[in-house]
Amino acid sequence: MSWIAATDTRIMNEYNAPAIIKYAPVPWFTERVCVQLKINNASGIIKETHGNTAVVEMEDKSTHSLNYRDVSLIRPQRHDIALVTTGRYVGKEGELISINGAKAMLKENAKSFVTVDFGTLAKIRPVVNVNMTTSVAHNGTNHPSLVIGHTVDVKRKMIANVNSTTGFEQDPPEKKKGRLERTCFICKVSKSLHDNFSKSQRGKGDTAKCKECVGAQQGKKQEKSDYTKSDRVGTHEEQLKRAADKREARRKKQEEETANRMAKRKKQEEERKRKAEIQAAELKHQEEERKRQEAEERMKIVTENEEKEAQNYNQKKEEYERHVQKLKDDGKDIEKEMATPSDLVYVVTSISKREGQFSPHLHGIYTTCKKAQECARRVFEKASESYRDGTFV
């Protein structure tokens, strides 16, 4: 069984009475809560509670004493008056204006709104002409289940309990005299609640509209609905003309969209071709540059070889001329000297093809037979895997 406190700060201060602590088996088992009988699904309202039982007033004004296990809570719908039974805003009540999944929004007054869990709400019977300050008296425990008493019956019951507890009697508060009044939401005039407001408008609180304002709004709607269909849309020929104009406008719009798509596609294709041409030109330029560099490198090598050949030729020519001059100084004949066997040989190292009368050209060096044989032997030894030191291994 959960602890539930019922108190009203203004009543306690007015009558110098302590807070009244009640007991309830479930948080929503309190006065004014709308319940449904489990046995036949009949609806009723809890008039008063006594521990695990309560007096329930049915729709036919009959009353029954039922256990809390015999009834179930009725969840509120939009525009119903709801009571928060548990949680942070326990005890607050107001009009349920919206439901969003597991969350709901209550309207306490024109400027106060609270968002609570929908599972903590209970549908209650609205109270008219009762202006009481809602407050929560904490009982000193960690349990948040607190129920606030609002009705005049609960107020009197609390005062009677205080008198029986403290031993002194207090005069009950005087009832307000005069008829109930409410201010119309549209004309802002205070009028009698029962005479000037319909039954559906009485429970809407600050947004209630009087019968005159509602009738005026309905009259305007009726005036608007008096126009015939022909007055609103014109004659049959005008309707056909408007339909034809709409079709023509739709066709032109579709043609424009198609032309725009084709132009966009053509532009994209031209851009793709332009990029492909640029890429091909770049590749061609790179290939030409590579070939040019290779040709320059070959010409450079050829030029270097020609310079070396010219140097060697000039050197041999100078040696030959010095040798011939020496032979002349010694009185020897060059022809006889050339016919004399010599130990020098000319080894060809490369061949180059040139444009001209003397083509191709042989490139090489002069050496002795012994040196040539020794050089050939070393080369053959490096290339061969079985020839070492002049013999085959």
Side-chain angles (χ1 to χ4, degrees), residues 19-284:
I20 306 301
I21 304 299
K22 290 185 178 182
Y23 301 92
V26 288
W28 53 266
F29 197 66
T30 185
E31 289 84 353
R32 297 171 56 213
V33 175
C34 299
V35 295
Q36 187 178 32
L37 274 63
K38 295 181 179 179
I39 188 172
N40 59 1
N41 295 330
S43 300
I45 300 174
I46 298 178
K47 300 292 291 184
E48 58 183 9
T49 59
H50 304 282
N52 292 345
T53 61
V55 177
V56 180
E57 181 182 356
M58 310 306 294
E59 293 180 350
D60 57 358
K61 303 301 180 179
S62 63
T63 58
H64 302 278
S65 180
L66 301 173
N67 191 280
Y68 76 96
R69 295 187 180 89
D70 300 332
V71 296
S72 61
L73 174 66
I74 297 178
R75 295 296 180 186
Q77 303 295 327
R78 288 189 61 187
H79 305 300
D80 289 342
I81 304 301
L83 172 69
V84 183
T85 59
T86 59
R88 176 182 175 184
Y89 300 102
V90 60
K92 289 186 177 295
E93 64 180 58
E95 180 184 357
L96 179 59
I97 60 175
S98 66
I99 302 173
N100 187 7
K103 295 294 182 180
M105 181 174 289
L106 289 182
K107 177 182 178 182
E108 292 186 286
N109 51 56
K111 298 182 179 180
S112 178
F113 298 86
V114 293
T115 302
V116 298
D117 292 334
F118 181 73
T120 64
L121 298 180
K123 181 180 178 180
I124 61 175
R125 182 178 62 182
V127 177
V128 182
N129 197 25
V130 177
N131 184 14
M132 302 179 63
T133 303
T134 303
S135 61
V136 178
H138 200 282
N139 56 9
T141 64
N142 293 328
H143 199 286
S145 299
L146 302 177
V147 175
I148 312 304
H150 293 280
T151 62
V152 177
D153 295 337
V154 175
K155 180 177 178 180
R156 292 175 178 174
K157 182 177 180 179
M158 293 168 62
I159 296 171
N161 291 335
V162 171
N163 294 336
S164 62
T165 304
T166 58
F168 60 86
E169 295 184 358
Q170 299 287 345
D171 294 333
E174 296 182 358
K175 294 183 179 180
K176 292 185 178 180
K177 297 181 180 180
R179 296 182 300 175
L180 300 178
E181 294 185 353
R182 179 162 296 176
T183 302
C184 178
F185 180 72
I186 297 178
C187 63
K188 307 300 182 183
V189 178
S190 180
K191 300 180 181 180
S192 173
L193 181 65
H194 294 283
D195 296 339
N196 298 95
F197 292 88
S198 62
K199 186 175 181 181
S200 61
Q201 293 290 332
R202 294 171 191 170
K204 293 187 179 181
D206 296 336
T207 60
K209 304 173 185 177
C210 65
K211 294 180 180 179
E212 296 178 358
C213 296
V214 172
Q217 289 183 346
Q218 292 178 352
K220 291 181 180 179
K221 292 181 180 179
Q222 182 65 26
E223 290 177 0
K224 291 181 180 179
S225 62
D226 289 339
Y227 292 101
T228 62
K229 185 176 182 181
S230 60
D231 295 331
R232 291 196 302 268
V233 299
T235 62
H236 182 65
E237 291 76 7
E238 293 177 352
Q239 296 180 23
L240 295 178
K241 183 179 180 181
R242 281 196 293 269
D245 294 341
K246 287 182 179 180
R247 289 194 297 270
E248 183 66 19
R250 191 182 301 111
R251 184 186 63 79
K252 290 183 178 180
K253 185 178 180 180
Q254 292 177 354
E255 290 179 355
E256 291 178 357
E257 292 177 352
T258 304
N260 293 334
R261 286 197 299 269
M262 295 298 294
K264 185 177 180 181
R265 189 177 303 173
K266 184 178 179 181
K267 185 177 180 181
Q268 292 176 353
E269 185 68 20
E270 292 177 354
E271 184 68 17
R272 186 185 63 80
K273 290 182 179 180
R274 187 182 64 82
K275 289 182 179 180
E277 291 176 356
I278 293 174
Q279 186 177 4
E282 290 179 354
L283 293 176
K284 183 178 180 181

